């Protein structure tokens, strides 16, 4: 590869290397335990092949599963193969400190927000609702980022829900938003959901029962969320609810999937990847830094900071630790403040409660009993999260 071949590829989406969904996990262990282990035979074969090729340094690009396989190689090789992981995932869920994004997230958010903004205008024009499901396995960063940037009617992310969540629980929140929106004279709206909400409906067996078919898993042992038609399930549930009370509503399910992953990168990612690439090579080659054999490259306050693989381990599962949306953060509170959802104040105002109940064609008491559980105090803006006001004379 010559400089002339490589100097402009950062303008392109995708990867000239292509991608792999293979894994170094012990697949048999995955079926019986939540604690993962490497497949010793496969990891040994990989390390031997790398040594036979004279490969002593690996620059790995990917998310939490790729980082896990990278860690297995670094550990198994005993330091003979140095490994640096570059954090690349549109889910933004690798354990980088603070608000540092993984590369790809900003571009995917931009593309997704543009699409959702178009759907919002179509929703207003046609007086219909969209249920938009985006990528995001365990963390809701991408869905929340898209919904917040586009100004979607509401956004639902996995962090809000317990593992015992049902389709009814999720539909109650969306339906409550639809009814509240109607009291404002708006029969339209867009709900953005992270696909990881499907995990909250139960484990693989429960998902299979819900869908009446076996849900396959990927190489890392995760149920394939692309096999769970969450948008269609919620669309059907919502339309049946309105039809049951003699009302009609048009709900369209839409999935924002792979089109977010290989888009041409935006300027934030263009510059960011230059830092990560340059820093990754330096971490591999600079012997004066005294690093462990496996690290992740990060840029913190404009400086190159390696994060050892050992610091990224989830002690419960032995997987790569992931970060999730902090529901107590001010940033999340701002996102919630702009959503149209049932709030506690709606049930405290007799006039508002009566208007909502009229839309649902039930009594205020029945509305309270049916929907009050769908509102949450999470995301409120108490004074402790506000910046202090400083006055000068």
């Amino acid at each position: 590869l010559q400089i002339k071949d490589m100097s402009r590829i950062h303008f392109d989406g995708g990867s000239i290397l292509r991608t792999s969904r293979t894994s170094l996990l012990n697949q048999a262990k995955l079926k019986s335990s939540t604690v993962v282990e490497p497949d010793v035979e496969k990891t040994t074969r990989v390390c031997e092949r790398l040594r036979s090729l004279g490969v002593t340094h690996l620059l790995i690009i990917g998310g939490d599963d790729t980082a896990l396989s990278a860690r297995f190689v670094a550990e198994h090789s005993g330091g003979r193969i140095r490994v640096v992981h570059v954090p690349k995932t549109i889910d933004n869920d690798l354990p980088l400190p603070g608000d540092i994004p993984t590369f790809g997230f900003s571009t995917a958010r931009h593309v997704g927000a543009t699409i959702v903004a178009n759907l919002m205008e179509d929703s207003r024009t046609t007086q219909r609702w969209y249920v938009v499901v985006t990528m995001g396995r365990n963390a809701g960063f991408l869905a929340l980022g898209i919904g917040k940037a586009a100004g979607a009617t509401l956004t639902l992310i996995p962090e809000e829900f317990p593992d015992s969540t049902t389709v009814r629980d999720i539909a109650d929140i969306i339906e409550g938003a639809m009814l509240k929106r109607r009291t404002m004279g708006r029969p339209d709206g867009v709900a953005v959901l992270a696909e990881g909400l499907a995990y909250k409906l139960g484990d693989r067996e429960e998902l299979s029962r819900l869908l009446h078919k076996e849900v396959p898993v990927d190489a890392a042992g995760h149920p394939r969320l692309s096999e769970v038609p969450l948008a269609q399930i919620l669309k059907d549930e919502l339309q049946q609810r309105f039809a049951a009370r003699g009302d009609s509503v048009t709900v369209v399910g839409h999935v924002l999937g792979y089109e977010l992953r290989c888009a041409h990168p935006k300027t934030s990612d263009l510059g960011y990847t230059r830092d990560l690439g340059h820093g990754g090579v330096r971490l591999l080659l600079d012997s004066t830094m005294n690093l462990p054999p496996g690290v992740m490259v990060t840029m913190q306050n404009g400086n190159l900071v390696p994060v050892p693989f050992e610091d990224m381990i989830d002690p419960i599962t032995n997987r790569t630790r992931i970060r999730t949306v902090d529901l107590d953060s001010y940033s999340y509170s701002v996102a919630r403040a702009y959503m149209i959802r049932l709030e506690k104040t709606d049930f405290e105002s007799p006039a508002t409660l009566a208007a909502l109940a009229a839309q649902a064609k039930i009594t205020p008491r029945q509305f309270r009993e049916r929907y009050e559980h769908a509102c949450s105090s999470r995301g409120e803006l108490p004074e402790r999260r506000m910046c202090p006001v400083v006055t000068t004379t």
Side-chain angles (χ1 to χ4, degrees):
L1 295 174
Q2 304 295 319
I3 290 178
K4 63 181 178 62
D5 303 314
M6 310 298 293
S7 63
R8 294 295 178 265
I9 65 168
H10 65 299
F11 288 119
D12 298 328
S15 169
I16 64 167
L17 299 175
R18 297 188 296 277
T19 62
S20 171
R21 289 300 297 167
T22 192
S23 168
L24 297 184
L25 286 176
N26 184 325
Q27 298 296 322
K29 182 76 172 180
L30 284 175
K31 299 177 181 179
S32 60
S33 174
T34 57
V35 180
V36 301
E37 294 179 358
D39 183 321
V40 177
E41 180 181 350
K42 185 184 288 187
T43 306
T44 300
R45 189 162 64 247
V46 168
C47 290
E48 289 177 349
R49 178 56 57 89
L50 290 171
R51 283 197 295 271
S52 72
L53 294 171
V55 175
T56 56
H57 297 72
L58 277 179
L59 192 66
I60 306 292
I61 306 171
D64 58 308
D65 292 323
T66 308
L68 181 61
S69 289
R71 190 184 101 211
F72 289 159
V73 169
E75 291 173 347
H76 190 84
S77 69
R80 292 185 298 274
I81 300 175
R82 296 192 59 79
V83 184
V84 170
H85 180 71
V86 177
K88 159 70 180 87
T89 167
I90 65 173
D91 289 356
N92 198 36
D93 59 357
L94 277 168
L96 278 68
D99 292 331
I100 301 172
T102 54
F103 95 75
F105 168 71
S106 296
T107 294
R109 178 179 57 188
H110 174 90
V111 174
T114 301
I115 295 172
V116 168
N118 292 341
L119 293 178
M120 289 169 59
E121 183 59 26
D122 187 80
S123 168
R124 184 192 65 79
T125 302
T126 59
Q127 299 187 5
R128 64 175 62 170
W129 269 80
Y130 280 93
V131 174
V132 181
V133 175
T134 74
M135 286 185 166
R137 193 170 63 211
N138 294 300
F141 289 106
L142 184 60
L144 190 66
I146 289 173
K148 188 176 182 180
T153 313
L154 73 157
T155 303
L156 302 181
I157 59 177
E159 291 87 339
E160 295 184 59
F161 296 88
D163 292 336
S164 57
T165 298
T166 65
V167 169
R168 174 180 173 174
D169 294 329
I170 299 172
D172 281 349
I173 296 176
I174 302 175
E175 185 187 18
M178 296 170 76
L179 295 171
K180 184 173 180 177
R181 185 90 154 151
R182 284 189 169 196
T183 67
M184 301 173 175
R186 295 289 299 274
D188 59 287
V190 175
V192 178
L193 285 68
E195 65 178 357
L197 284 172
Y199 283 154
K200 299 297 184 175
L201 301 177
D203 55 18
R204 184 187 177 196
E205 287 71 25
E206 178 64 18
L207 287 175
S208 298
R209 184 195 63 78
L210 177 67
L211 300 174
H212 308 291
K213 69 175 184 177
E214 183 74 8
V215 177
V217 298
D218 60 21
H222 307 297
R224 289 188 180 276
L225 293 178
S226 59
E227 301 289 333
V228 181
L230 184 60
Q232 183 66 42
I233 291 172
L234 290 168
K235 168 193 170 179
D236 292 343
E237 174 71 16
L238 292 167
Q239 289 191 151
Q240 289 168 11
R241 291 184 179 199
F242 277 82
R245 53 177 172 257
D247 204 343
S248 64
V249 64
T250 300
V251 181
V252 178
H254 186 85
V255 178
L256 281 180
Y258 302 115
E259 64 268 33
L260 302 183
R261 291 205 307 196
C262 289
H264 291 295
K266 303 307 171 186
T267 52
S268 57
D269 277 330
L270 289 174
Y272 185 28
T273 51
R274 294 227 151 178
D275 288 337
L276 293 176
H278 192 283
V281 173
R282 180 178 176 187
L283 294 179
L284 282 176
L285 301 181
D286 192 340
S287 59
T288 65
M289 299 182 75
N290 243 354
L291 298 175
V295 299
M296 178 172 68
V297 56
T298 72
M299 297 300 299
Q300 301 181 33
N301 298 316
N303 294 307
L304 175 63
V305 180
V307 175
F309 284 163
E310 296 77 44
D311 295 347
M312 299 165 56
I313 299 174
D314 183 329
I316 297 177
T317 64
N318 195 39
R319 288 183 180 270
T320 304
R321 181 167 46 86
I322 63 170
R323 65 179 175 187
T324 55
V325 174
D326 180 3
L327 300 185
D328 292 321
S329 67
Y330 184 77
S331 180
Y332 176 74
S333 298
V334 171
R336 279 287 277 110
Y338 283 100
M339 296 182 198
I340 303 298
R341 290 171 62 164
L342 291 178
E343 308 288 353
K344 286 187 175 181
T345 53
D346 296 326
F347 294 88
E348 295 167 356
S349 167
T352 301
L353 182 58
L356 289 167
Q359 288 294 334
K361 300 183 179 180
I362 54 180
T363 67
R365 179 178 178 179
Q366 290 172 326
F367 191 90
R368 182 186 297 278
E369 292 173 350
R370 178 72 177 80
Y371 294 100
E372 192 169 19
H373 77 94
C375 64
S376 170
S377 61
R378 302 302 290 268
E380 292 179 353
L381 286 167
E383 287 189 18
R384 67 180 178 82
R385 288 186 220 156
M386 302 295 288
C387 296
V389 177
V390 178
T391 59
T392 58
T393 59

